[in-house]
Structures are given as C-alpha cells and as structure tokens.
Amino acid sequence: PALTSCPQVQRALLALTLPLEMLQAVKDRMLQAMCKGLSRQTQAQATVRMLPTYLCSTPDGTEKGDLLVVELCQSHVRTLWVTLLGDGNQRPQVMDKIFDMPGSIMQGKGEALFDFIAQCVRQFLAGIGIPRHRLPLGFVFPFSCRQTRLDKAELISWSKGFSCSDVEGKDVVQLLQSAIKKQELYHVDVVALMNDTVGTMMTCGMAGKPCEVALVVDTGTNSCFMAKAQQVEMAEETSGEMCVNTEWGCFGDDGSLSDVLTPYDQRVDQESSNPGEKRFEKLVGSLYLGEIVRHVLMALAAEKALFIGSNVTVLRTKDVLKTQQVLEIIDNEDGMAKASRALEALGLRPSERDCCRVQQICRVVVSRAAALCAAGLAAIFNHMRQSRELEHLVINVGVDGELYRGHTRFGEILQSVTRLLAPECMATLLPSVDGTGRGAAIVTAVALRVAAQRREVDQLLAPLRLSRADLEHVQALMRQEMELGLGRESNANASVRMLPTYVRGTPDGTERGEFLALDLGGTNFRVLVVRVEQDGIRMASEIYVIPTAVMQGTGEVLFDHIIECIMDFQLKQNLMEQVLPLGFTFSFPCQQLGLDKAVLLSWTKGFSASGCVGQDVVQLLREAAQRKQHLGLKVAAVVNDTVGTMMSCGYDDPKCEIGLIVGTGTNACYMEEMQNVGTVEGEQGRMCINMEWGAFGDNGCLDNIFTNFDWLVDEKTINAGKQSRFEKLISGMYLGEIVRHILLALVEKQLLFRGKPCPKLQTRDIFQTKFLSTIEIDGLALQQVQAILQDLELQASFEDSVLVREVCQTVSLRAAQLCAAGLAAVVEKMRENRGLARLAVTVGVDGTLYKMHPLFSQHLQQTLRDLAPNCTVTFLRSEDGSGKGAALVAAVACRTAKP
C-alpha cells in the first residue's frame, strides 16, 4: 500500500525496472559491440574494447612451483609468495604483505611508482628469506592496457586517481623489470601481466572443468572469457583460444544505452569525473549505485513523496549514501531498521512508509544492476556457443566484487536473468577466492607451463620442419637420381627408375573417333567407350566385379573373365561390329617394352593369378580374345594411372606435360627429350617417363630426412626398410600413421591428454589420413576436433585439440613441401632441357590427398614457386585419368601412326 498509493514512487520504480524485452535488446547490442571490438577494422571505434590478454590456456591442475605476485592497488602495494603443489590448485600455500603507498606517488613520476613497487618486492623477499634462485613474477596492473604479449603491455590511460607522468604509451612490464634490476633482484623475471578479472577466472576452475568466463562487479565492472583465437583479430593468433578482456564498462558510450538511462543516471553521470564515459559501469558498479539511489530520493523528496517535514538539503551532497548501505537496506530481515538508521544519520526524519519506499528503491537499483550484468553475460554465452557451433553451452563463471559478495540477492538475479536471456546455456556461478593474488599466481604458473610445453613440442616436431636448405637438398638429390635413372649404365642403381612409357606425345586437340578403355587396378574393373569429338569428350562405362576365385586362380581364367566383360559391354553399347583401339590402364608393377607391351613384374592388391608374372599382359589379353573368338580387339596402348592423368588433362590444356598422383600412393611422369633417355633407342622428339618416384630414397639418400616417427611407420609396413621411401613421407597411406606415432610420443612426454594412457591410439591405422583433412579445415571449431578425437576414445581438452591440429599441420605441410621439391627438380630439368629462361607448364594432378586435403595443394604450389622461381606452373585437376586418359593415349597413338 505504501507504494501503490504514491504515483511518483511508482513512476520512479517503473523507470528503473527493465522489462525482459529491453534486457534482450541490451544483450543483442552488447553482442554487436563485442563483435565490433574483435574486428581489426572496427576495434578503434568499439565501446567494448575486447582486448587480447595473450593468455591461451586455462589451468589443468598440474601447475606447481614457487611464484611471486605483486599487485598495484588503490592505496597500497600487495606482494605475495605462492607455492602451487600440482594438486589441482586446491591448497596453494600463500604468504603476503601489504605496503602502504604514499599519496604523492599516485600523481608523481612514473619512475618513482615503479621504483616503489620494486622496493616492496625486495623488502618482501628479504623479510621471508627466500633463496636467490630464479623467481617468476606475475604483475596485477588494474588499468586499461594494450597487450601484445603476456609479458608486454602498453598503458592506454590511467584511472582510479592515478596520473603518474611518462607511463602512458609505455610497456609497464619493462618499466617494472627495469626497476627490479635497479634493486639488484636479477633472479626475478616478470613473466605475466594481468588485471583482476583474468585472475578471477583462473581461480575458479573446478576439477575436470575449467572456468572460461569471469565477471567482476566492484567499484567498477568488467568481464573476460575464452574466445576462439582466430576471432581475436588484434592478436593475429590463428589457433586455439585466447582470454579476451572485454572492458565492457564503456559499453553505451556511443549512445546505445540511451533508452535504458533514466534522469537519475544522467545526473550521476554529469556529477562524475568523466561525464559521457563508462555509461555501463555507472549503471552497474558499486561506486555509483548509492549515488543513483541518492538522486532518486532527492527527486521524490522534491515532489513531496518522501521525507515530508524533513530538511532534505543533505541529499544534495555527493556520496552521502554509500553502496554498502544500499546493500544493507535491501536485506529482507532488518533492512527497514537499517534504512531508518542510515536516513536518521543524515539528519532526516523518515516515517515507516518512507523507509519502505527507500527499501524498494534500493532493491530496484541493485536488481537493475544485476539484470544488466546478466544481459552482458548472456551476450558472452551466446558468442561462445555460436563460435563453438554448439546447441547447448555448459560453462563455469568466476564471479568477484563487492556487489556479488555483498548480497545473495544480486547473485540470484544474475543467475535467473541469465537463464532467461540465454536458455541454451547452463552457467554455474563460482565465487572467486583472491583472484588478484592466488589468481595472478595461477596465471603466471600457466604461462610457465605453456612455455615449457611449447619448448618440448617444438623440440619433438623440429625434425619434421624442413628448412629451405633441406628442401633444396631434396630437390638436388631428386635431380641426381633422375639422371641416374635415365642413364643406360646407371639405371639399375637408381632409386628413381625413370621407366620409358613409349608415349611420344600429348593430345593436340585434333584427335577424333571412338576408343575403348580398360581400367584394371583392383577387385572392380571398368570398361569404357570414349568418344572424342570436336565439341568435347563423351563417355559411357560399366563396372565389373572380379570374384576372388578368379583373382587367385589361373591367368587364363582371369583374362578370359576380362574379355567376357569387354564383350558384354560392347554388346550393350552396340559396338560388337566395330574394331576400336583400346587403351589399357594396368595398375600393377610392369616393365614396359613398348607402347603396347608390358611385362608383369609382380601382383599386388590381393591378385595372385598364376602364369602371369614375367608375361606380357597385352599378349595375355590378346590370347584370351582369341580363345573367346573376339576378333574386334585392338590394344593400342598400355599405361599406368599417372600417364593417364597427364593425358586426360593434356586434352584440356596442351601445355600439360607432367602427371602427378598424390593419393594412397604417389608418382609422377613428364615429357623428357628422347636424346636424354639412354634406356631406349632414338634421339628425336620426346617420350613420357614414368618416374616411379615413390621409391626415391630407397638407396639411403633420404635417410637424414627420415625421423624416428618415419622409421617407426616403416618398420610396420610390408616392405620395411626398402621400397617407397619417398612415398612413405608423402602419401595418404602413411600420413595418419606418422601422426599417430607423434601423438603417442606426446602422451609419453605428458604433453597430450594429460599423459593418460590411450589404448586405442596404440592400434595401427586407427588415425586415418582423412582425419588430417578434416582437422585442418580452416575455421573448424575445436569442438569438432574434439568430437573426432572422442570417436577414437580420446578425451581431449581444447589445448589437446590445438596440439593435435598442429601435429597434423606439420606432417601434411612436410608432405606437400617434399612433393614440391620433387616437382621442382622435374620442372627445372624440363626448362634446362629446352634451353628456356622461363618455362610455362601445366601439371595434371589426381589423388585423394591432393583433392580432399584443405591445404595440401596450396602448400605444394607455394613451395614449388619458391624452389623453381623460373617456372610458371599451373595445376589442373584430372577427371578420370585411368579411363579417359587411357583412351586418349590410344587416340594419340592412332593420330601419330597415320601417314
């Protein structure tokens, strides 16, 4: 009744009450302001600054050691000695001391301030008798800074009564470090700078669940949270996460809170030391809540709604009503009595009704502050949920400050309004314990742990990170092996076989006609008809199965089955009456003796048909045709898939004179001058050389490139210690295994998955190469990396996911660079062969690694440009090299055979 009978009080309460729709709007505006602060283009105009802290990890509980902390406070300097025991940071041992600061220092020279802080550190260490071993120090500096490293931060501006000269724009870490050296404390290193908000977040992690958001609601207000590093454009970090200090106290300085501000807020702002600035903080911070209440009471007293008969001039005096009194008044049990005492102390004579109305006003001001903080938190939660691509976010929030600690009602409103504004997010509010002291120690310890782990990871991965000199050496070795492979006398000793294919030309666009193609390379094989016409190529094909009994029976049975399938296809395509040239892609090791003559060296891929090894496979096919009385078969060429790839792309681009496969295996071919091919008679023109470069290094020339991980992979292959050395560094069949062995080494060194045993990771081939392609997708949320690892029964933290991604990137980058070094040798040889200052050539390329991996092609092309700067190389993806390409080999053979 005391409220409803007074329209003036009702009006005041209504003005200070924010409906849910308005809070939703505030949340949305905060989210927009945050995005503006994260963007490099708009950050300068942003009211929510979103400053990077360069803290990229949360505590994992293993942090231990002795740490120094120095905290610059309003009127004193606090020093702490903190010992962390590696017990989850549950029972840190803390010694601290407070040094009162002379008032003159706050407005004096900057050098005097930092000298005073360093003297406090020296006195503190002398007092506790600490030995002079290296001591890492964390510096709590509660002012707005532009941080460029965890240990480098320029002061943007002073506040809170400080105005020391010659500090703004300078690195405060360096200023403190210099002052410490002046005190001859050479063993003390400043390793981290932070504000109280970050420290709050670091103290509130729970077992197995880190704290990733912090809120401070004290005299001022601020928040921080772990954001995707990629989104923090000012920091130029691209992987993992980084703690962002929102500096949200200035939210609304651009007018975006104008519909929230009441006349009371406007008066508080006008009387402040910084009118028009820190608008959000002036609605929320405890420095201002008492003042807001005072202005409401003053307005209602002027309207005769309060304190009738009292002299109210005292209410015109700034700061006569403190926020602590406001918090006591809103208490349900004895708030009325406290209201009466506080008002009487001001010389007012409040009635019971007055006390009731004042209590309601205090409650609505505090409730509004809590609701606005909740809107800010909801904006942070939504940002985190969206950037992590989650339907639901479960998060821990560290909270500290006078308002949160001072009244349970504030925390209750904060929690309930946050749930209303962000229903997809489940937040647990955790009260911070000494965020500035213990929290700063934990920040420092995390920084040291991360730096030590970084050194170990770099050391482990260093052998896989190839320098320019390494790649140039590989390029030179490849060139050397190519020359050996081309020589008649030296071919037998070369690791790069340089096999002649008897393909003497690439398509020139005049090829016409119908051709058959046969693609045999596994349990299924294809028969195709390829029609090469003026307006392009049209194809029809059918897949046939080879039963296991046929694969492992006699050669006659196998080739009879192939001819039966060709006849079936020709019958269905109405081609039985025609004799069409056939291109035969035969993807098994062969020694080619002519374009249509290839001797099988060995079966692979589960084939073991008898009577075939050492025989000409084209002749075996012809004999089967005779047995089946199929006279319309004319085998024009036998090719492998690499040559087919080159020919397939050569039809679309006449400059395509190189074929490259980077898939399960790897190989290359190119057009070499006949005069350089010592293994074949003839000097005129060119011939395609099938390099078989997968075996490059089988003679030991690449042993210094092989790492321990490569040897471990090699040991488990069917051809350990020989065959396909180069292929084992590059191709899709092996990259996943290399990554798996590196991950096992990281686990053993306690650098990954907290060193916990990972039984599934012991399983060979469990980490497939396709996982590399997925994990390295640009912008893939770390949650999705975690999900991939979860499928492998690996419980990965965010930091684990970042490290796994780095390992994948290192292995795939090396593969692409080595592939580029091989290609560089090829294109440079072609350029020199032709006596050109610059060579323009196209590479026809196929293979799942090249096509499916998000960065492989990019890295390959960039490295090739670096290693062969005089060659302009274009890459063209092949479509059906083994089918269409084989037909085009036959087509070119027919064209060149015409008189």
Side-chain angles (χ1 to χ4, degrees):
L3 303 175
T4 54
S5 62
C6 183
Q8 295 95 327
V9 173
Q10 278 186 311
R11 196 161 54 245
L13 293 174
L14 196 60
L16 290 160
T17 302
L18 298 177
L20 195 59
E21 297 78 17
M22 177 57 76
L23 290 170
Q24 189 73 49
V26 171
K27 180 196 82 171
D28 294 341
R29 293 171 203 168
M30 177 71 85
L31 194 53
Q32 288 173 0
M34 286 165 55
C35 293
K36 200 171 177 181
L38 285 171
S39 167
R40 181 182 295 278
Q41 291 181 322
T42 54
Q43 203 265 350
Q45 294 83 44
T47 55
V48 180
R49 299 294 301 280
M50 304 297 281
L51 301 175
T53 66
Y54 293 84
L55 185 68
C56 298
S57 182
T58 51
D60 66 4
T62 63
E63 293 80 13
K64 59 184 175 182
D66 297 326
L67 304 140
L68 260 178
V69 173
V70 61
E71 178 189 359
L72 178 59
C73 304
Q74 189 77 39
S75 58
H76 60 268
V77 169
R78 180 180 176 220
T79 54
L80 300 94
W81 176 274
V82 181
T83 302
L84 298 176
L85 305 173
D87 61 351
N89 304 322
Q90 295 304 304
R91 294 181 302 280
Q93 298 170 359
V94 180
M95 292 183 281
D96 69 341
K97 185 172 182 180
I98 289 173
F99 296 86
D100 291 327
M101 184 164 53
S104 59
I105 282 183
M106 295 170 64
Q107 284 88 34
K109 289 184 177 179
E111 187 178 5
L113 170 67
F114 287 98
D115 283 347
F116 176 75
I117 296 171
Q119 287 163 15
C120 295
V121 172
R122 184 172 56 79
Q123 288 178 39
F124 176 62
L125 289 177
I128 56 178
I130 299 301
R132 295 176 68 86
H133 59 72
R134 180 178 181 260
L135 290 174
L137 183 145
F139 184 22
V140 183
F141 189 73
F143 302 96
S144 185
C145 288
R146 186 178 295 104
Q147 216 158 339
T148 51
R149 286 198 320 246
L150 194 53
D151 62 351
K152 185 176 175 64
E154 293 177 2
L155 175 64
I156 295 172
S157 61
W158 287 115
S159 58
K160 306 173 188 177
F162 280 78
S163 58
C164 299
S165 62
D166 207 26
V167 179
E168 290 182 357
K170 294 198 172 173
D171 178 7
V172 293
V173 174
Q174 190 54 50
L175 292 173
L176 178 58
Q177 189 72 67
S178 299
I180 285 172
K181 281 185 178 173
K182 272 199 249 176
Q183 298 297 321
E184 298 184 355
L185 298 172
Y186 300 112
H187 59 304
V188 176
D189 292 328
V190 186
V191 299
L193 176 136
M194 73 231 69
N195 64 14
D196 53 351
T197 319
V198 176
T200 294
M201 185 180 80
M202 296 303 256
T203 61
C204 291
M206 294 170 67
K209 180 68 179 162
C211 178
E212 296 181 275
V213 182
L215 167 68
V216 171
V217 203
D218 209 83
T219 50
T221 181
N222 196 14
S223 60
C224 67
F225 67 99
M226 297 301 289
K228 280 181 70 175
Q230 198 174 34
Q231 294 176 331
V232 189
E233 293 181 13
M234 299 302 292
E236 297 182 355
E237 290 281 333
T238 56
S239 65
E241 293 194 312
M242 181 181 287
C243 179
V244 173
N245 169 23
T246 67
E247 291 290 344
W248 73 5
C250 295
F251 173 50
D253 287 5
D254 57 357
S256 56
L257 290 177
S258 57
D259 52 355
V260 173
L261 298 172
T262 66
Y264 320 116
D265 301 311
Q266 301 286 19
R267 290 180 200 124
V268 170
D269 178 59
Q270 286 158 14
E271 291 181 2
S272 70
S273 60
N274 52 354
E277 297 176 16
K278 302 236 174 183
R279 300 314 292 262
F280 189 66
E281 187 166 286
K282 287 169 184 172
L283 296 171
V284 168
S286 65
L287 194 62
Y288 304 98
L289 298 193
E291 280 294 279
I292 297 170
V293 171
R294 179 178 70 84
H295 276 285
V296 177
L297 300 186
M298 195 162 54
L300 290 175
E303 294 180 89
K304 307 297 186 193
L306 283 177
F307 313 131
I308 296 168
S310 293
N311 182 352
V312 294
T313 53
V314 67
L315 293 175
R316 294 177 190 163
T317 306
K318 192 177 174 186
D319 293 329
V320 291
L321 195 60
K322 305 294 184 188
T323 296
Q324 184 54 44
Q325 292 172 300
V326 170
L327 294 174
E328 290 170 357
I329 289 169
I330 64 175
D331 189 69
N332 281 330
E333 290 184 7
D334 56 355
M336 288 280 286
K338 287 183 176 174
S340 180
R341 283 199 294 273
L343 295 168
E344 286 171 357
L346 295 176
L348 301 169
R349 296 197 304 276
S351 65
E352 188 177 344
R353 177 177 291 186
D354 287 337
C355 291
C356 181
R357 289 174 177 174
V358 169
Q359 187 181 47
Q360 287 300 100
I361 290 159
C362 290
R363 280 179 179 165
V364 79
V365 167
V366 172
S367 296
R368 183 182 67 158
L372 285 168
C373 283
L377 276 184
I380 289 174
F381 296 163
N382 271 18
H383 177 87
M384 294 176 78
R385 186 179 64 81
Q386 289 165 10
S387 66
R388 296 179 182 187
E389 298 176 22
L390 295 173
E391 285 186 28
H392 298 280
L393 177 73
V394 179
I395 199 85
N396 284 339
V397 183
V399 192
D400 203 356
E402 180 187 357
L403 276 179
Y404 181 75
R405 290 194 307 267
H407 208 279
T408 54
R409 180 76 179 136
F410 188 93
E412 289 165 2
I413 295 169
L414 186 65
Q415 185 98 52
S416 61
V417 176
T418 305
R419 282 180 182 160
L420 287 170
L421 295 175
E424 309 88 353
C425 306
M426 179 59 69
T428 303
L429 302 185
L430 304 169
S432 172
V433 179
D434 191 10
T436 52
R438 176 175 150 186
I442 294 172
V443 170
T444 308
V446 168
L448 292 169
R449 171 177 61 78
V450 169
Q453 288 175 340
R454 179 75 266 161
R455 286 191 295 274
E456 285 199 74
V457 168
D458 285 342
Q459 190 176 357
L460 191 84
L461 295 179
L464 292 117
R465 291 176 169 149
L466 302 179
S467 66
R468 172 73 178 261
D470 291 331
L471 294 171
E472 287 173 346
H473 181 59
V474 172
Q475 179 182 350
L477 285 172
M478 177 67 86
R479 176 66 181 265
Q480 185 179 307
E481 291 296 305
M482 287 170 70
E483 301 288 4
L484 288 171
L486 286 170
R488 184 188 299 274
E489 305 300 329
S490 54
N491 173 269
N493 299 319
S495 65
V496 181
R497 296 293 306 281
M498 304 296 281
L499 303 174
T501 67
Y502 297 87
V503 172
R504 300 293 304 272
T506 55
D508 66 4
T510 65
E511 293 80 13
R512 299 287 181 271
E514 288 188 314
F515 305 89
L516 284 175
L518 179 60
D519 176 15
L520 178 63
T523 53
N524 295 335
F525 79 101
R526 291 186 304 153
V527 185
L528 307 89
V529 60
V530 180
R531 297 178 175 91
V532 184
E533 298 166 351
Q534 188 166 353
D535 59 349
I537 291 178
R538 289 182 295 118
M539 294 189 292
S541 67
E542 188 153 342
I543 294 173
Y544 294 90
V545 175
I546 303 179
T548 305
V550 174
M551 288 167 62
Q552 298 172 358
T554 65
E556 284 191 5
V557 170
L558 172 62
F559 281 91
D560 284 354
H561 176 70
I562 291 170
I563 290 294
E564 285 167 6
C565 294
I566 292 172
M567 291 170 69
D568 175 73
F569 178 77
Q570 285 187 279
L571 194 63
K572 287 176 180 175
Q573 294 290 328
N574 200 21
L575 296 172
M576 286 299 282
E577 303 304 316
Q578 299 181 51
V579 179
L580 300 180
L582 181 141
F584 185 10
T585 297
F586 188 73
S587 300
F588 298 92
C590 286
Q591 181 184 2
Q592 203 147 349
L593 302 175
L595 188 59
D596 62 349
K597 188 174 179 66
V599 174
L600 177 64
L601 299 176
S602 63
W603 282 119
T604 57
K605 306 174 191 180
F607 281 74
S608 60
S610 61
C612 299
V613 173
Q615 300 298 310
D616 174 9
V617 294
V618 176
Q619 189 57 35
L620 293 175
L621 193 64
R622 286 171 178 156
E623 288 170 2
Q626 286 178 341
R627 283 194 300 274
K628 292 293 178 180
Q629 298 183 343
H630 182 49
L631 306 177
L633 191 72
K634 178 185 171 186
V635 181
V638 59
V639 298
N640 73 3
D641 53 356
T642 317
V643 178
T645 293
M646 181 186 78
M647 298 298 271
S648 163
C649 294
Y651 181 80
D652 298 312
D653 182 350
K655 289 207 291 288
C656 183
E657 296 185 87
I658 301 172
L660 172 67
I661 301 281
V662 198
T664 312
T666 183
N667 194 16
C669 68
Y670 72 103
M671 297 303 292
E672 177 60 88
E673 309 301 312
M674 274 295 293
Q675 64 193 27
N676 296 333
V677 185
T679 52
V680 174
E681 298 298 327
E683 298 285 319
Q684 300 302 310
R686 294 172 182 151
M687 179 180 287
C688 179
I689 297 296
N690 167 25
M691 295 177 67
E692 290 293 342
W693 80 0
F696 173 43
D698 283 3
N699 58 0
C701 68
L702 288 182
D703 284 4
N704 64 328
I705 296 290
F706 256 56
T707 67
N708 290 338
F709 310 114
D710 299 310
W711 292 118
L712 285 168
V713 172
D714 181 59
E715 281 172 16
K716 302 297 180 187
T717 59
I718 55 171
N719 50 5
K722 58 181 181 180
Q723 291 184 22
S724 310
R725 280 285 174 80
F726 196 52
E727 186 165 277
K728 287 170 185 174
L729 298 172
I730 289 177
S731 74
M733 182 176 282
Y734 304 102
L735 299 192
E737 271 297 275
I738 297 170
V739 168
R740 183 178 71 85
H741 280 287
I742 296 170
L743 299 185
L744 284 170
L746 289 168
V747 171
E748 188 180 337
K749 287 179 174 288
Q750 308 272 309
L751 298 171
L752 190 64
F753 310 135
R754 299 193 183 182
K756 292 177 183 172
C758 304
K760 200 153 184 181
L761 203 54
Q762 302 284 350
T763 309
R764 189 177 161 200
D765 294 326
I766 195 75
F767 200 96
Q768 298 168 33
T769 297
K770 70 176 182 181
F771 295 153
L772 275 77
S773 297
T774 307
I775 285 169
E776 290 187 58
I777 292 170
D778 189 34
L780 185 74
L782 287 174
Q783 276 82 359
Q784 291 172 271
V785 178
Q786 282 179 303
I788 292 168
L789 298 172
Q790 180 84 49
D791 290 342
L792 298 175
E793 297 174 15
L794 301 171
Q795 301 302 317
S797 67
F798 268 24
E799 286 83 359
D800 290 334
S801 301
V802 171
L803 184 49
V804 169
R805 179 183 280 170
E806 183 183 356
V807 171
C808 292
Q809 288 168 338
T810 303
V811 170
S812 67
L813 173 62
R814 182 185 68 156
Q817 289 176 328
L818 287 170
C819 193
L823 264 185
V826 173
V827 296
E828 275 297 306
K829 185 173 194 321
M830 292 174 74
R831 185 182 68 80
E832 290 173 22
N833 283 348
R834 300 174 189 189
L836 298 171
R838 285 200 73 80
L839 171 73
V841 70
T842 297
V843 178
V845 61
D846 203 352
T848 49
L849 186 59
Y850 184 91
K851 287 184 172 180
M852 303 304 290
H853 191 282
L855 297 170
F856 190 93
S857 61
Q858 187 180 317
H859 291 318
L860 168 62
Q861 292 172 37
Q862 181 56 56
T863 307
L864 182 57
R865 281 193 291 272
D866 294 342
L867 295 176
N870 296 319
C871 301
T872 302
V873 184
T874 304
F875 286 79
L876 190 59
R877 291 189 180 205
S878 168
E879 299 301 330
D880 196 13
S882 51
K884 173 178 153 186
L888 283 166
V889 173
V892 171
C894 292
R895 169 173 62 78
T896 53
K898 289 176 184 174

